[in-house]
Amino acid sequence: MSREISALQRARLGYQPKLPKALRTTRTKVELGAPTEPATDREKIKELFPNTYGQPLAAIVEGEGGPVVAPLNVGVVLSGGQAPGGHNVIAGLFDALKSANEESRLFGFLKGPGGVIKGQYKELTAELIDEYRNTGGFDMIMSGRDKIEKPEHLAACKKNFAEMDLDGLVVIGGDDSNTNAAVLAEYLLAEGSKTVIIGAPKTIDGDMKNGRIEASFGFDTACKTYSELIGNICRDATSAVKYWHFIRLMGRAASHVALECALQTQPNITLISEEIHTKGITLEEIVNYIADVVHRRSQAGKNYGVLVVPEGLPEFIPDIKAMIDELSSILGRDEEYIQRLGVHSERVQYLSGHLSERSARVYSCLPQDIQEVLLRRDSHGNVPLSQVETERLLMDLVSNRIRQMKSRGKTNARFSPLGHFFGYEGRSAMPTNFDANYCYSLGFAAVQLIRARLTGYTVNVQNLTKPSNEWIAGGTPVTMMLNMEVRKGKAVPVIRKALVDLEDAPFKKFAENRERWALNDEYVFPGPIQYFGPPEISDAPTKTLALEKDEAIVPEAELVGRSS
Amino acid sequence: MSREISALQRARLGYQPKLPKALRTTRTKVELGAPTEPATDREKIKELFPNTYGQPLAAIVEGEGGPVVAPLNVGVVLSGGQAPGGHNVIAGLFDALKSANEESRLFGFLKGPGGVIKGQYKELTAELIDEYRNTGGFDMIMSGRDKIEKPEHLAACKKNFAEMDLDGLVVIGGDDSNTNAAVLAEYLLAEGSKTVIIGAPKTIDGDMKNGRIEASFGFDTACKTYSELIGNICRDATSAVKYWHFIRLMGRAASHVALECALQTQPNITLISEEIHTKGITLEEIVNYIADVVHRRSQAGKNYGVLVVPEGLPEFIPDIKAMIDELSSILGRDEEYIQRLGVHSERVQYLSGHLSERSARVYSCLPQDIQEVLLRRDSHGNVPLSQVETERLLMDLVSNRIRQMKSRGKTNARFSPLGHFFGYEGRSAMPTNFDANYCYSLGFAAVQLIRARLTGYTVNVQNLTKPSNEWIAGGTPVTMMLNMEVRKGKAVPVIRKALVDLEDAPFKKFAENRERWALNDEYVFPGPIQYFGPPEISDAPTKTLALEKDEAIVPEAELVGRSS
């Protein structure tokens, strides 16, 4: 930590996160419901998880009797990319453990799952925890992207946990990490280890959610940080009246971040990968749509605008997808030969000869630097589509389209695009009051699940659009959220990613308004995240959550409904 | 305006900005001090401004007697780039006018000084003003970059003002706009026009300041917005521990924004154009310094870091400046021939033959795309150095340097740089409480100067590090701030830009700490701008202002001292 801290840091270190009513006492008990089943692939998942399949839902309620006397040894690990609130989950674990028994101890595994496998950890003391209360980032114990999946990994974990006399491990991560947590839980149970495994739902992409898990933590803070910036840029656009801002946001698979920011700021154009994929909208159609909005706005005297796009868009455009598949096989065959072709134009010519007509057309319309990027396969032998800066791709293609329209006298729009990417600015931001309270509650609840000796569960807190004292904490068996998917040619159990559902309220609200937002300037300016002041400003949930909760409550049964 | 507004927008529309004590009553009077003189070029400036030269300083104090009865017609114009608080100056003008006399009217000239020349304006009604209170952006009446300087412009203004029966015009702009305001004031006075001209100090670059003008408005909000993002990126850097973030900030001439953000967040490296210029530090020395810090941090196991650089840096690097001058003359002679050279390498070879050895070396070490950019002169015949993305230039050069060091076994640093540019994100942000109060006070005070029939003044509010009721409002004759400078080969009167002074407290504090900041992680996380909560969080001035005010008060005499 830096020796000098800001006035806001000081205030936030002293902020006491709010807890659901049932967690405000150490006299809690865990109530178990009926056995559960996944929505699909039941036989296969039952076969893979004989010991943890079909476990009941868990609800944490106020109980009688005194607090547990026996001290607990608990470990915690951060997995994957930073999300605001990670330190609050850890603080919640710490306070819950100590409030139940001062002798309890919390250990932080270092640099992600790799630290669990290697048995690298440090004890988290009150002094250390106090340094990180309500702070952003994962720097307290750091994170990593290793996976605990190979047999030797599992064995190493069992050994380390035994040496540490660990009662439980809390894995803070996304869908994959929670899946791996379930695999580890199943293994340890089968091996007769006493260590239980609890997952916590983290990802700013917001794609780990269902009827039980209303939101993954970090999404609230990240989206509000990006929305502040997008709103500021919208205000600048209406003041400068001469630039089109193309803003790329995080979201490789799901477009929840882009959709939430669109609902918060109402930019002129927002592209949603899921819609483009579902409707099979081509690159040319996308470019024409944008160019048409640019043209229609210019006719209204508005040669400016704001466009928001998720970074992962290209992978969801059917003709790009097809072209990439063809490129992969051509490069798999002729990569060396193509690289040896000295001049760019020769490479393009060669490919045009070997790509299908449609893919050749798509490839030829790409900017030269992107054409080159797509000719070098990455270490996994894949064409590195993810290296394409989506906003620049669109800026170039739309510029060309507008030039074309001008030459044909079809428009006189002045089009000056500017590109932006917002990612790192939000991943490690100070958690909002919402994320601070939510994450602290998740940590607190996880300890109750460990006390109840539950394993293979993801901790959840529901009723999130209500005041925090009305929040309801519990646990959801991971097996219940699993389905079988093919990864690297192999069918594996995974928690299905919750993509943007075109039938859900958030997308519907966007779709109903986008034509108006495109032509009028109906920008909304959320401003910076507030930690003080009126609760409707400082404690409001995301628009996504509010709109989803307005819908009829999703039956527990169709847990994966949102993404099915 | 958008029909839907955010909760924070609603709260800010209702925020009542605070005023200095003397402005809280309509019973104010303007006290005039002794005649003033500029620090230099007195004879020349006296000759150019015979009617407005030597005017006294003005102080606005509580007076006796009733408010002025006669209604006033006042115009206002926004000049140059957006700065948070512009709408608050206008709201201050409006409220001050109406509080003195309900019959008074305020007219907003549209799209900048061009609107004044063309006589394009709209009356600003209570309804319109209320829509924009405490909002960012300049979208209420928009801005422009035209200049009122040619004789026909001045004549057009006189004619328009007469037709509007305008008592005064408030020009909201930077050093150039305030200079032009003085020229217009001098002209109108000589012509016997009744319209007085008052300037208001605006620029987020923070380069219009002196002993009387403690800060230009917008600087506070913009720097705090950028500092939020830089702090978030610092936190992400210590969490991900694998990226070096190179962050470009606004500041073509002055580096105040970069310096303020450095004091707010304490990144590992901050480059200050004024220091590089003053000390004649070469591009190679800059690259070596950065590479050395990268190396030393990597030895401490830190393959990450944060660097902050003002966009205008390249123009202050002596060997780049020299190279650009040589390039200009070569291109002036052989541009067509060079463009006709088909292959890039031939162009480089040709230039190497014609540039001095030193410049050839500098040019040859530049990335190819930048080499190409510098071969096309802009419409003014200048080599477009401003098109070079400073952070990318440094990223490329440092990458090469590190590769070189590795090949010589001089380092084993892993260097993965990421570039960012923050500009538009802050120019139109919602003004902080400080800027909201400061700008509203400037507008309120400007009306008092107009009531006193003063012309050729810049309105100022001092004592800004004290609570707003202790602020002191007044007016400073523009002629007092002028000096003669050569622009486009011609000596003209201008307000000297206040550049970062290496002898002033803000730079000294940075210089004393930078070695520690470079190697340790002493990042500070300011977090987002707060409008509510403890005043030390929501109302604090910039570090720059606080440090400058801690110094002995600058004698009025050396008004341009900070930049001399």
Side-chain angles (χ1 to χ4, degrees):
Chain A
M1 288 291 284
S2 37
R3 292 155 216 185
E4 188 174 333
I5 69 172
S6 73
L8 183 58
Q9 274 177 277
R10 192 167 296 107
R12 294 307 287 172
L13 288 177
Y15 174 75
Q16 177 54 51
K18 304 189 189 110
L19 285 169
K21 192 156 174 299
L23 292 177
R24 293 185 190 165
T25 161
T26 52
R27 303 176 187 286
T28 64
K29 67 169 192 255
V30 173
E31 275 178 0
L32 300 178
T36 62
E37 286 195 311
T40 60
D41 308 308
R42 290 175 184 155
E43 285 320 305
K44 187 63 191 165
I45 290 162
K46 183 169 191 170
E47 182 188 322
L48 291 166
F49 297 87
N51 298 287
T52 53
Y53 183 88
Q55 298 192 102
L57 295 172
I60 299 168
V61 297
E62 287 179 88
E64 301 77 37
V68 166
V69 196
L72 293 173
N73 293 331
V74 172
V76 60
V77 62
L78 293 162
S79 178
Q82 288 82 283
H87 291 153
N88 281 56
V89 176
I90 297 173
L93 289 170
F94 183 85
D95 291 351
L97 284 169
K98 294 296 186 179
S99 67
N101 187 319
E102 262 305 325
E103 300 301 306
S104 292
R105 300 170 72 185
L106 180 63
F107 302 93
F109 287 97
L110 305 176
K111 297 188 179 177
V116 182
I117 296 168
K118 300 192 197 95
Q120 296 170 339
Y121 61 87
K122 67 177 167 189
E123 177 159 10
L124 304 180
T125 62
E127 189 190 13
L128 187 67
I129 295 287
D130 287 346
E131 260 187 14
Y132 285 91
R133 290 184 185 272
N134 309 297
T135 58
F138 278 4
D139 42 320
M140 183 201 278
I141 54 176
M142 284 176 300
S143 183
R145 297 188 181 277
D146 307 290
K147 294 192 181 305
I148 301 171
E149 36 189 13
K150 298 208 178 96
E152 59 268 34
H153 298 160
L154 298 170
C157 291
K158 179 187 160 197
K159 180 166 163 296
N160 298 335
F161 297 164
E163 285 169 12
M164 295 170 71
D165 187 32
L166 217 56
D167 296 286
L169 170 71
V170 176
V171 178
I172 302 173
D175 47 356
D176 282 354
S177 305
N178 278 267
T179 302
N180 293 338
V183 171
L184 180 57
E186 174 69 25
Y187 169 82
L188 292 173
L189 205 54
E191 292 285 312
S193 159
K194 79 164 183 175
T195 313
V196 298
I197 309 295
I198 301 297
K202 173 229 77 175
T203 150
I204 69 169
D205 290 344
D207 55 8
M208 185 178 172
K209 63 179 174 181
N210 52 48
R212 294 275 297 185
I213 297 166
E214 298 180 355
S216 52
F217 78 75
F219 179 73
D220 186 85
T221 306
C223 288
K224 285 172 180 171
T225 302
Y226 303 140
S227 296
E228 170 200 0
L229 303 179
I230 296 166
N232 288 358
I233 285 173
C234 290
R235 178 73 84 173
D236 202 71
T238 53
S239 304
V241 298
K242 60 183 172 187
Y243 297 118
W244 259 92
H245 295 271
F246 280 44
I247 304 172
R248 174 176 36 127
L249 297 176
M250 300 193 81
R252 286 245 153 262
S255 306
H256 296 293
V257 171
L259 181 56
E260 170 65 22
C261 292
L263 294 169
Q264 291 259 3
T265 63
Q266 303 182 6
N268 304 103
I269 298 176
T270 304
L271 301 173
I272 301 297
S273 302
E274 290 86 340
E275 178 181 30
I276 281 152
H277 175 70
T278 307
K279 299 181 178 172
I281 300 169
T282 66
L283 181 59
E284 188 177 14
E285 288 168 330
I286 293 168
V287 170
N288 288 343
Y289 167 70
I290 299 170
D292 179 59
V293 172
V294 169
H295 167 64
R296 286 191 289 156
R297 284 181 61 82
S298 76
Q299 285 190 307
K302 298 173 180 174
N303 285 301
Y304 61 90
V306 178
L307 173 146
V308 168
V309 58
E311 58 185 345
L313 178 76
E315 284 146 67
F316 293 86
I317 302 174
D319 43 350
I320 287 193
K321 194 91 195 59
M323 176 196 68
I324 291 298
D325 294 344
E326 291 181 38
L327 267 182
S328 308
S329 59
I330 294 173
L331 290 172
R333 214 173 48 233
D334 314 333
E335 187 162 26
E336 280 188 24
Y337 174 79
I338 292 168
Q339 290 306 335
R340 261 190 269 104
L341 292 172
V343 189
H344 175 73
S345 57
E346 291 177 9
R347 288 193 282 273
V348 177
Q349 195 180 13
Y350 179 87
L351 285 168
S352 311
H354 291 68
L355 286 167
S356 69
E357 195 191 314
R358 187 177 185 223
S359 293
R361 201 170 59 247
V362 173
Y363 185 80
S364 64
C365 79
L366 297 177
Q368 177 166 342
D369 58 326
I370 292 180
Q371 287 178 331
E372 284 298 323
V373 165
L374 297 181
L375 290 181
R376 285 182 227 90
R377 295 189 301 167
D378 62 23
S379 48
H380 311 295
N382 302 322
V383 176
L385 190 55
S386 64
Q387 282 178 33
V388 173
E389 294 179 329
T390 308
E391 80 285 12
R392 304 212 166 272
L393 171 66
L394 295 175
M395 285 159 64
D396 283 350
L397 296 177
V398 173
S399 298
N400 294 341
R401 182 84 185 99
I402 294 288
R403 224 173 284 118
Q404 214 177 54
M405 291 164 69
K406 274 185 170 162
S407 67
R408 296 178 189 160
K410 292 250 190 302
T411 188
N412 45 24
R414 282 198 310 279
F415 180 63
S416 308
L418 290 170
H420 309 265
F421 170 56
F422 298 135
Y424 301 95
E425 295 79 356
R427 300 197 319 178
S428 295
M430 270 186 215
T432 55
N433 289 343
F434 175 89
D435 270 329
N437 298 338
Y438 178 41
C439 294
Y440 188 76
S441 301
L442 286 170
F444 229 88
V447 168
Q448 313 313 317
L449 300 181
I450 291 169
R451 280 173 59 185
R453 316 272 323 118
L454 296 178
T455 192
Y457 279 70
T458 294
V459 60
N460 62 259
V461 173
Q462 296 173 280
N463 227 18
L464 292 173
T465 52
K466 297 277 191 309
S468 51
N469 64 323
E470 296 174 40
W471 290 359
I472 298 160
T476 307
V478 176
T479 53
M480 182 187 191
M481 301 184 280
L482 295 175
N483 74 157
M484 301 301 292
E485 290 180 23
V486 177
R487 299 274 173 95
K488 296 175 188 150
K490 195 156 151 285
V492 293
V494 293
I495 297 175
R496 196 182 305 185
K497 272 194 192 302
L499 302 176
V500 168
D501 188 325
L502 308 191
E503 296 310 313
D504 278 356
F507 181 83
K508 278 187 186 157
K509 161 132 197 221
F510 159 71
E512 285 158 11
N513 291 283
R514 67 175 137 190
E515 176 64 14
R516 248 184 33 251
W517 295 352
L519 300 182
N520 311 343
D521 296 349
E522 300 197 17
Y523 308 128
V524 175
F525 314 106
I529 290 166
Q530 297 299 296
Y531 299 96
F532 312 97
E536 71 270 19
I537 297 174
S538 60
D539 294 10
T542 59
K543 301 257 182 194
T544 301
L545 194 53
L547 286 164
E548 284 173 345
K549 297 292 288 184
D550 284 350
E551 299 179 288
I553 298 309
V554 182
E556 305 277 23
E558 37 162 301
L559 258 186
V560 289
R562 293 188 174 287
S563 55
S564 61
Chain B
M1 288 291 285
S2 39
R3 293 157 215 184
E4 188 175 332
I5 69 172
S6 73
L8 183 58
Q9 274 176 277
R10 194 168 295 107
R12 293 307 286 172
L13 287 177
Y15 174 75
Q16 177 55 50
K18 303 187 188 115
L19 286 169
K21 191 156 175 296
L23 292 177
R24 293 185 189 166
T25 159
T26 53
R27 300 174 189 287
T28 64
K29 69 166 188 254
V30 173
E31 273 178 1
L32 299 179
T36 62
E37 284 195 314
T40 60
D41 308 309
R42 291 176 183 154
E43 285 319 306
K44 185 65 191 165
I45 290 162
K46 185 171 191 171
E47 181 189 324
L48 291 166
F49 297 87
N51 299 288
T52 53
Y53 183 89
Q55 296 192 105
L57 295 172
I60 299 168
V61 298
E62 288 178 88
E64 301 78 39
V68 166
V69 198
L72 293 173
N73 293 331
V74 173
V76 61
V77 62
L78 293 162
S79 179
Q82 287 82 283
H87 291 151
N88 281 55
V89 177
I90 297 172
L93 290 169
F94 183 86
D95 291 350
L97 284 169
K98 294 295 186 179
S99 66
N101 187 320
E102 261 305 324
E103 299 302 305
S104 292
R105 300 171 72 186
L106 180 63
F107 302 93
F109 288 96
L110 305 176
K111 297 187 179 177
V116 182
I117 295 167
K118 300 194 198 95
Q120 295 170 340
Y121 62 86
K122 67 178 168 189
E123 176 159 10
L124 304 180
T125 62
E127 189 190 12
L128 188 66
I129 294 288
D130 288 345
E131 262 187 14
Y132 286 91
R133 289 184 185 273
N134 309 297
T135 58
F138 278 5
D139 43 319
M140 184 200 279
I141 56 176
M142 285 177 295
S143 184
R145 297 188 180 277
D146 308 290
K147 294 190 181 307
I148 301 172
E149 37 189 13
K150 298 211 180 93
E152 59 268 34
H153 298 159
L154 298 169
C157 290
K158 179 187 160 199
K159 179 167 163 298
N160 297 336
F161 297 164
E163 284 169 11
M164 295 169 71
D165 187 32
L166 216 55
D167 297 287
L169 171 71
V170 176
V171 178
I172 302 173
D175 47 355
D176 281 355
S177 306
N178 278 268
T179 302
N180 293 339
V183 171
L184 180 57
E186 175 68 25
Y187 169 82
L188 292 172
L189 205 53
E191 292 284 311
S193 158
K194 79 164 183 175
T195 313
V196 298
I197 309 295
I198 300 297
K202 174 230 75 177
T203 149
I204 70 169
D205 291 344
D207 56 7
M208 184 179 173
K209 64 179 172 181
N210 51 50
R212 294 274 298 183
I213 297 165
E214 297 180 355
S216 51
F217 78 75
F219 179 72
D220 186 85
T221 306
C223 289
K224 285 172 180 172
T225 302
Y226 303 141
S227 296
E228 170 200 359
L229 303 179
I230 296 166
N232 288 359
I233 285 174
C234 290
R235 178 74 84 173
D236 202 71
T238 52
S239 304
V241 298
K242 60 183 172 186
Y243 297 118
W244 260 91
H245 296 271
F246 280 45
I247 304 172
R248 173 176 37 128
L249 296 176
M250 299 192 82
R252 286 243 154 265
S255 306
H256 296 292
V257 171
L259 181 56
E260 170 65 20
C261 292
L263 294 169
Q264 290 262 1
T265 62
Q266 304 182 6
N268 304 102
I269 298 175
T270 304
L271 301 172
I272 301 297
S273 303
E274 290 86 341
E275 178 181 31
I276 280 150
H277 176 70
T278 307
K279 300 182 178 172
I281 300 169
T282 65
L283 181 60
E284 189 177 12
E285 289 169 329
I286 293 168
V287 171
N288 288 344
Y289 168 69
I290 298 170
D292 179 59
V293 171
V294 169
H295 168 64
R296 285 190 289 157
R297 284 181 61 82
S298 76
Q299 286 190 307
K302 298 173 181 173
N303 286 301
Y304 61 90
V306 178
L307 173 147
V308 168
V309 59
E311 59 185 345
L313 178 75
E315 285 147 68
F316 292 86
I317 302 174
D319 43 349
I320 288 194
K321 192 94 194 61
M323 176 196 68
I324 292 297
D325 293 344
E326 292 181 37
L327 267 182
S328 305
S329 60
I330 293 172
L331 289 172
R333 215 173 47 233
D334 314 332
E335 186 162 25
E336 279 189 25
Y337 175 79
I338 292 167
Q339 289 307 334
R340 259 189 268 105
L341 293 171
V343 189
H344 175 73
S345 56
E346 292 178 9
R347 287 193 281 272
V348 177
Q349 195 181 13
Y350 180 87
L351 285 167
S352 312
H354 292 68
L355 286 166
S356 68
E357 194 191 315
R358 184 174 186 226
S359 293
R361 201 169 59 245
V362 173
Y363 184 80
S364 64
C365 80
L366 297 177
Q368 176 166 342
D369 57 327
I370 293 179
Q371 288 178 331
E372 283 298 323
V373 166
L374 297 181
L375 291 181
R376 284 180 227 91
R377 296 188 302 166
D378 61 24
S379 48
H380 311 296
N382 301 321
V383 176
L385 191 55
S386 63
Q387 282 178 33
V388 173
E389 295 179 329
T390 309
E391 79 284 14
R392 303 211 166 272
L393 172 66
L394 295 174
M395 285 159 64
D396 283 351
L397 296 177
V398 173
S399 298
N400 295 340
R401 183 82 184 100
I402 293 287
R403 223 174 284 119
Q404 211 176 58
M405 290 165 68
K406 273 185 170 163
S407 67
R408 298 179 188 158
K410 292 252 192 305
T411 189
N412 46 23
R414 281 198 311 281
F415 180 63
S416 308
L418 289 170
H420 308 266
F421 170 55
F422 298 135
Y424 301 94
E425 295 78 358
R427 300 195 321 176
S428 295
M430 270 186 215
T432 55
N433 289 343
F434 175 90
D435 270 330
N437 298 338
Y438 178 41
C439 294
Y440 188 76
S441 300
L442 286 171
F444 228 89
V447 169
Q448 312 315 316
L449 300 181
I450 292 169
R451 280 172 58 185
R453 313 276 321 121
L454 296 178
T455 192
Y457 279 70
T458 293
V459 60
N460 62 260
V461 173
Q462 296 173 281
N463 228 16
L464 292 174
T465 52
K466 297 278 190 312
S468 51
N469 63 323
E470 296 174 41
W471 289 359
I472 298 159
T476 307
V478 176
T479 52
M480 181 186 194
M481 300 184 281
L482 294 176
N483 75 154
M484 301 301 292
E485 289 179 23
V486 177
R487 298 275 172 95
K488 296 176 190 150
K490 194 156 151 288
V492 291
V494 294
I495 297 175
R496 197 183 304 185
K497 272 194 192 299
L499 302 176
V500 168
D501 188 326
L502 308 191
E503 296 311 313
D504 278 356
F507 180 83
K508 279 186 185 155
K509 161 130 199 222
F510 159 70
E512 285 157 11
N513 290 283
R514 66 175 139 191
E515 176 64 15
R516 249 186 31 252
W517 295 353
L519 299 182
N520 312 342
D521 297 349
E522 300 197 19
Y523 308 127
V524 175
F525 314 106
I529 290 166
Q530 297 298 297
Y531 299 96
F532 312 97
E536 70 270 19
I537 297 173
S538 60
D539 293 10
T542 59
K543 301 258 183 194
T544 302
L545 194 54
L547 287 162
E548 284 172 346
K549 296 293 287 184
D550 284 348
E551 300 180 288
I553 299 307
V554 182
E556 303 278 22
E558 37 161 300
L559 258 185
V560 291
R562 294 188 172 288
S563 54
S564 61

